[in-house]
């Protein structure tokens, strides 16, 4: 496929020379945008929204059009592939995802089916649609959840502050839990390969809950399945980004996963990240999203501080440490994008 006109993001992922730091934002298409809320209203509910290729393409390209970000992540969700594996869930207003048949026993794991990529054909169509609509202006990012994070939702049945059911299951049935992680990894390899074949320029693995594990448990339960995915995704120039939220305590372990880019939250200093990576991989992050609720001058200062921590070398993609929130100001988000573009010129 034709390479994107603006390929700063891909060059930074591969630590090739860049004229300025590329920026995109996790959850960049979301409820904080009035245009998103309009599309969401047409779809009715979130699942109808991400399964509707036309609407999902429109949502995916909004941040490029309205904010000028350097990459488009497809509008979808980490739970998307789980339906094909036999999980039934819905998204409830104000509650988030709720599973109707959560995993309760090791036997339930035996009943799971491998992902059939035909069941997620719409994700491939969304990737193609974004590439067409944007005329290859910027790279398109595909994604999946990390096996641990998905397993946590499948067992807990809903979002949670501590994922106590999921972790208790992991401690009581470590072998069954690992079998679940392995089944998920195999399906996610197929899922990411399918996204790359459909035209994704890069893929990100979201391990939003991996940081809730102790370092020992992270090494035992989350990291191996991420390594397996990274090793088996077939790609040529397409980088893999590995995001584990809350990784400060075991960043040294995270960076053995084999990813091209490590995405980190704000609880670790970016200069420490740079020192530890030592030119071997790129980094993505790591502004505290809450900064976007502050005055513009604070946003500018905090963004510049992150840029300075990395310095002028290539290998940094500016992002938040976690996603944008529904009540954030579009004006402030746009301001951040502009500041990073201006202040990072080489
Ligand atoms: O980054 C992007 O813009 C791409 C799209 C994207 C969404 N979810 C859209 C979404 C991505 C990459 C995700 C990933 C995702 N989904 C994660 C990992 C990243 C993270 O934030 O930690 C997780 C844990 C989920 C599961 C999930 N999806 C939850 C817990 C919720 C509810 C959150 C809430 O605030 O209500 C969702 C729903 C969801 N996913 C929304 C969006 C835009 C809101 C849906 C709506 O319009 O109501």
């Amino acid at each position: 496929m034709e390479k994107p006109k603006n390929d700063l993001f891909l060059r930074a992922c591969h630590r090739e020379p860049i004229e300025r730091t590329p920026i995109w934002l996790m959850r960049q298409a979301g409820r904080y945008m009035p245009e998103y809320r309009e599309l969401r209203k047409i779809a009715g509910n979130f699942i109808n929204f991400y399964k509707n290729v036309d609407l999902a393409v429109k949502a995916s390209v909004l941040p490029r059009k309205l904010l000028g970000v350097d990459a488009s992540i497809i509008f979808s969700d980490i739970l998307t592939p789980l339906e094909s594996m036999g999980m039934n869930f819905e998204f409830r207003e104000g509650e988030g995802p709720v599973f109707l048949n959560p995993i309760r026993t090791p036997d339930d794991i035996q009943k799971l089916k491998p992902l059939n990529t035909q069941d997620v054909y719409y994700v491939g169509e969304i990737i193609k649609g974004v590439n067409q609509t944007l005329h290859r202006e910027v790279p398109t990012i595909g994604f999946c959840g990390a096996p641990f994070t998905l397993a946590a939702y499948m067992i807990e049945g809903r979002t949670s502050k501590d994922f106590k059911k999921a972790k208790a299951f992991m401690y009581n049935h470590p072998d069954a839990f690992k079998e679940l992680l392995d089944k998920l990894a195999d399906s996610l390899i197929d899922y990411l390969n399918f996204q790359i074949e459909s035209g994704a320029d890069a893929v990100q693995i979201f391990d939003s809950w991996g940081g809730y594990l102790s370092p020992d448990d992270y090494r035992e339960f989350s990291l191996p399945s991420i390594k397996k995915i990274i090793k088996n995704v077939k790609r040529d120039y397409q980088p893999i980004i590995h995001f584990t939220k809350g990784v400060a305590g075991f960043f040294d372990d995270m960076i053995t996963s084999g990813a091209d880019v490590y995405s980190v939250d704000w609880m670790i200093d970016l200069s420490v990240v740079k020192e530890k990576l030592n030119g071997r991989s790129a980094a993505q992050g790591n502004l505290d999203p809450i900064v976007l609720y502050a005055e513009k001058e604070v946003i500018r200062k905090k963004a510049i501080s992150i840029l300075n921590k990395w310095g002028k070398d290539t290998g940094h993609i500016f992002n938040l440490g976690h996603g944008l929130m529904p009540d954030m100001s579009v004006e402030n988000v746009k301001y951040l994008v502009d500041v990073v573009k201006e202040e990072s010129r080489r």
Side-chain angles (χ1 to χ4, degrees):
M1 205 187 20
E2 190 194 340
K3 101 178 180 38
K5 294 182 188 90
N6 166 354
D7 65 346
L8 272 174
F9 163 78
L10 294 174
R11 278 189 272 141
C13 289
H14 289 295
R15 290 163 287 120
E16 294 163 10
I18 48 174
E19 311 80 70
R20 65 167 172 81
T21 305
I23 174 170
W24 71 277
L25 304 164
M26 289 195 257
R27 291 265 176 102
Q28 60 189 14
R31 283 165 293 187
Y32 75 103
M33 283 180 164
E35 295 82 354
Y36 172 95
R37 295 196 296 270
E38 278 304 308
L39 295 169
R40 174 86 155 68
K41 216 187 285 167
I42 298 168
N45 66 53
F46 182 63
I47 295 183
N48 287 344
F49 192 177
Y50 72 60
K51 286 188 177 178
N52 183 315
V53 174
D54 177 55
L55 294 177
V57 169
K58 287 190 169 114
S60 307
V61 303
L62 284 176
R64 172 63 198 166
K65 293 190 166 159
L66 303 174
L67 308 170
V69 287
D70 295 303
S72 297
I73 185 161
I74 56 161
F75 175 72
S76 188
D77 200 77
I78 58 168
L79 304 185
T80 305
L82 300 183
E83 189 184 357
S84 171
M85 297 182 72
M87 300 300 294
N88 301 315
F89 53 87
E90 48 193 48
F91 283 83
R92 295 196 189 142
E93 220 58 58
E95 234 185 304
V98 177
F99 284 86
L100 309 176
N101 60 341
I103 287 172
R104 287 281 172 261
T105 66
D107 260 1
D108 293 338
I109 294 168
Q110 303 309 321
K111 292 183 217 141
L112 289 172
K113 296 175 289 182
L115 170 76
N116 178 348
T117 53
Q118 282 169 14
D119 294 338
V120 288
Y121 72 95
Y122 54 90
V123 174
E125 295 305 305
I126 293 165
I127 293 170
K128 290 178 198 160
V130 172
N131 282 335
Q132 265 164 20
T133 308
L134 291 179
H135 308 290
R136 300 296 287 146
E137 258 179 53
V138 291
T140 300
I141 306 174
F143 67 89
C144 72
F148 175 77
T149 289
L150 292 176
Y153 278 106
M154 290 159 83
I155 297 169
E156 196 73 27
R158 57 185 60 236
T159 196
S160 158
K161 281 194 194 63
D162 46 23
F163 281 86
K164 59 185 169 198
K165 270 191 203 142
K167 285 170 77 178
F169 185 103
M170 175 183 92
Y171 290 125
N172 285 330
H173 311 284
D175 293 335
F177 193 81
K178 284 179 194 168
E179 201 183 332
L180 172 57
L181 295 171
D182 205 53
K183 284 192 170 195
L184 284 165
D186 287 342
S187 286
L188 294 168
I189 290 164
D190 291 345
Y191 188 46
L192 292 183
N193 282 335
F194 169 69
Q195 293 186 41
I196 289 173
E197 282 159 21
S198 303
D201 295 289
V203 289
Q204 176 156 329
I205 302 170
F206 285 88
D207 194 7
S208 304
W209 296 105
Y212 280 68
L213 293 169
S214 72
D216 279 343
D217 292 337
Y218 181 75
R219 285 188 285 267
E220 183 173 353
F221 294 103
S222 181
L223 197 52
S225 52
I226 293 178
K227 281 188 182 167
K228 184 176 185 185
I229 295 173
I230 293 174
K231 202 168 144 209
N232 288 287
V233 170
K234 288 192 218 82
R235 59 217 173 91
D236 143 36
Y237 185 70
Q238 297 89 342
I240 301 193
I241 310 166
H242 171 182
F243 170 64
T244 291
K245 171 84 179 60
V247 80
F250 36 87
F251 184 67
D252 288 330
D253 295 299
M254 180 196 194
I255 63 180
T256 65
S257 76
D260 302 284
V261 184
Y262 293 98
S263 192
V264 292
D265 67 31
W266 58 94
M267 287 166 239
I268 184 164
D269 199 298
L270 197 63
S271 48
V272 173
V273 168
K274 188 179 183 197
E275 194 185 305
K276 289 189 183 257
L277 290 177
N278 195 21
R280 287 186 298 262
S281 325
Q284 178 173 275
N286 69 343
L287 184 72
D288 180 350
I290 306 298
V291 167
L292 289 166
Y293 291 110
E295 303 291 336
K296 287 212 173 75
E297 272 324 294
V298 179
I299 297 173
R300 169 176 289 274
K301 215 176 81 197
K302 295 286 185 187
I304 292 174
S305 154
I306 286 176
L307 291 172
N308 287 342
K309 280 176 195 291
W310 193 270
K312 294 290 178 192
D313 293 337
T314 183
H316 175 223
I317 298 109
F318 199 103
N319 206 316
L320 304 174
H322 205 184
L324 289 163
M325 294 180 209
D327 60 347
M328 280 176 170
S329 132
V330 179
E331 192 186 324
N332 284 9
V333 177
K334 173 88 170 74
Y335 181 76
L336 171 68
V337 173
D338 291 341
V339 166
V340 169
K341 287 181 168 181
E342 276 161 38
E343 297 289 342
S344 67
R345 286 209 184 281
R346 310 293 202 263

